[in-house]
Amino acid sequence: MPIPEDAAPFDEMQGKLYLPVTGRITHRFGNRRNQGKLRWDGVFINADEGEPVHAVHYGHVVFSDWLRGFGLLVIINHGDGYMSLYGHNQALYRQTGDWVQAGEVIATVGDTGGQNRTGLYFEIRIA
């Protein structure tokens, strides 16, 4: 499934993307983590266990597995150096190599990777 013909490039979507899950943001980009020197590189969205996690934009799944500190993690490459990360999932529905469309369910919310509450870690990286 290649790039949809009518889809805008990721860099044109600033301010137009929906959150990947419904919930309350409890940690924001740049906030301190555990009163230490480390800071959040993304957001943590409190959400109920099992809630569907949606891809925020079309792309190619480049990682779908367990990663220390992130638990069950999906990483989607959106092209031009943009990637989105979805961590602490309960279950993963897409595998490395899959193509996904915006809004497609890619996982469910969980508490894997050392979290003490259910929710989703979401980050956008630019290489």
Side-chain angles (χ1 to χ4, degrees), residues 40-59:
W40 287 88
D41 291 326
V43 297
F44 188 84
I45 306 165
N46 276 2
D48 293 333
E49 184 175 352
E51 285 293 311
V53 176
H54 303 271
V56 296
H57 198 60
Y58 70 85

Side-chain angles (χ1 to χ4, degrees), residues 13-107:
M13 298 302 295
Q14 185 172 353
K16 300 175 186 173
L17 297 175
Y18 293 100
L19 287 176
V21 68
T22 301
R24 187 172 66 87
I25 296 175
T26 57
H27 301 289
R28 295 184 180 278
F29 175 82
N31 286 12
R32 285 193 176 163
R33 293 182 68 129
N34 302 325
Q35 283 66 44
K37 292 182 180 181
L38 295 176
R39 297 194 179 269
W40 287 88
D41 291 326
V43 297
F44 188 84
I45 306 165
N46 276 2
D48 293 333
E49 184 175 352
E51 285 293 311
V53 176
H54 303 271
V56 296
H57 198 60
Y58 70 85
H60 189 232
V61 177
V62 294
F63 186 88
S64 180
D65 205 342
W66 176 272
L67 184 64
R68 184 176 177 203
F70 291 93
L72 289 173
L73 174 69
V74 175
I75 301 176
I76 300 174
N77 181 347
H78 303 288
D80 297 324
Y82 290 93
M83 292 186 287
S84 57
L85 289 76
Y86 311 78
H88 306 302
N89 296 292
Q90 177 185 55
L92 304 178
Y93 295 150
R94 291 318 209 165
Q95 298 177 355
T96 300
D98 288 350
W99 285 91
V100 297
Q101 298 296 321
E104 187 173 333
V105 176
I106 57 171

